[in-house]
């Protein structure tokens, strides 16, 4: 079961503090989720945003995606509309320019077919749920991606894992000019060090 937003935030905050990372950027998270920046800030502060409906979420996020697309590519709405119509045509789906304009400006709610196609066009994370998920779930999805990335980096670092295992802090066994040791090599080295420091009866001492 995936953690809820409060737990995700707590775990992320711990990584940020421990590793001296940059704090979460509300503006970047707003871009990735298509949520208003003030909504993201409220969620990061443990507050609840104003309630909304699925229809409002879909329309609002589509408008934000359309505006971001035009700002990023320097195009006009008419250019975006034409691109969306061509995208649907390539999928064998008919959509008029007038209807595409209504969808991209938030005046109409797309059906599931159009919503799926728009998700593909804008290359959103999470498919249709990108548009329909409540704000806290939308933000949590993005933050979980970051959390897993950080946990994955830590898990792939044999030095850090072994240092934590043996309680060794502040030691750098990566020799200058040499390739990093793998987990098995480090395990043998550290085990040997500990045996020399704390010999047992099995060592004949």
């Amino acid at each position: 079961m995936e953690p809820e937003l409060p737990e995700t935030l707590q775990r992320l905050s711990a990584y940020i503090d421990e590793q001296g990372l940059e704090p979460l950027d509300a503006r970047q998270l707003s871009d990735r989720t298509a949520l208003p920046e003030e909504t993201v800030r409220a969620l990061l502060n443990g507050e609840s945003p104003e309630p909304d409906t699925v229809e409002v979420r879909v329309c609002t996020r589509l408008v934000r995606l359309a505006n971001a697309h035009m700002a990023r590519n320097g195009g006009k709405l008419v250019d975006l509309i034409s691109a969306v119509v061509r995208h649907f045509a390539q999928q064998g789906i008919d959509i008029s320019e007038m209807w595409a304009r209504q969808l991209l400006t938030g005046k109409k709610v797309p059906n599931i077919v159009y919503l799926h196609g728009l998700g593909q066009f804008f290359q959103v994370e999470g498919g249709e749920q990108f548009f329909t998920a409540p704000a806290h779930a939308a933000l949590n999805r993005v933050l979980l991606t970051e959390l897993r990335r950080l946990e994955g980096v830590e898990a792939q670092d044999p030095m850090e894992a072994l240092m934590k295992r043996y309680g060794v802090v502040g030691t750098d066994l990566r020799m200058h000019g040499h390739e990093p040791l793998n987990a098995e090599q480090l395990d043998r080295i550290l085990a040997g060090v500990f045996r020399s420091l704390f010999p047992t009866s099995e060592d004949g001492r």
Side-chain angles (χ1 to χ4, degrees):
M1 180 179 296
E2 292 187 343
E4 297 293 334
L5 180 60
E7 181 183 346
T8 303
L9 284 171
Q10 184 179 26
R11 289 165 61 182
L12 265 177
S13 296
Y15 274 110
I16 289 170
D17 292 341
E18 290 173 4
Q19 301 182 18
L21 303 176
E22 292 293 324
L24 296 173
D25 189 316
R27 179 172 297 179
Q28 290 182 359
L29 291 171
S30 174
D31 292 340
R32 290 185 62 181
T33 58
L35 295 172
E37 189 173 337
E38 57 269 23
T39 298
V40 173
R41 292 188 184 280
L43 290 168
L44 292 178
N45 291 329
E47 303 170 7
S48 298
E50 292 293 325
D52 59 7
T53 64
V54 173
E55 291 80 5
V56 169
R57 293 171 205 158
V58 171
C59 291
T60 301
R61 293 173 198 178
L62 266 176
V63 170
R64 291 182 64 84
L65 286 174
N67 290 339
H69 184 279
M70 288 185 287
R72 186 169 56 251
N73 295 285
K76 298 179 180 179
L77 179 59
V78 64
D79 300 319
L80 177 58
I81 291 171
S82 297
V84 167
V85 170
R86 287 196 302 272
H87 172 76
F88 276 105
Q90 292 170 357
Q91 307 298 319
I93 302 171
D94 292 327
I95 183 173
S96 68
E97 291 192 354
M98 182 181 69
W99 192 249
R101 177 185 293 272
Q102 298 277 19
L103 297 178
L104 294 170
T105 55
K107 294 181 172 60
K108 295 292 182 181
V109 181
N111 62 27
I112 190 64
V113 173
Y114 288 151
L115 190 62
H116 179 75
L118 288 166
Q120 290 181 323
F121 176 83
F122 288 113
Q123 298 181 329
V124 300
E125 305 172 41
E128 292 83 72
Q129 289 188 351
F130 178 94
F131 300 99
T132 61
H136 66 86
L139 180 59
N140 192 45
R141 174 183 48 78
V142 170
L143 293 181
L144 276 175
T145 300
E146 291 303 307
L147 179 62
R148 287 164 181 158
R149 181 181 64 82
L150 289 172
E151 290 179 334
V153 168
E154 180 179 80
Q156 292 166 11
D157 189 340
M159 167 57 74
E160 186 171 352
L162 284 171
M163 286 176 67
K164 287 187 175 182
R165 173 179 169 184
Y166 288 103
V168 179
V169 180
T171 301
D172 187 0
L173 293 182
R174 291 184 175 85
M175 302 302 180
H176 296 292
H178 293 273
E179 291 295 324
L181 301 175
N182 61 38
E184 183 179 354
Q185 292 170 324
L186 289 170
D187 207 353
R188 288 201 302 268
I189 290 172
L190 287 173
V193 170
F194 274 78
R195 280 199 302 272
S196 67
L197 293 174
F198 308 103
T200 66
S201 57
E202 295 179 355
D203 297 317
R205 300 183 185 179

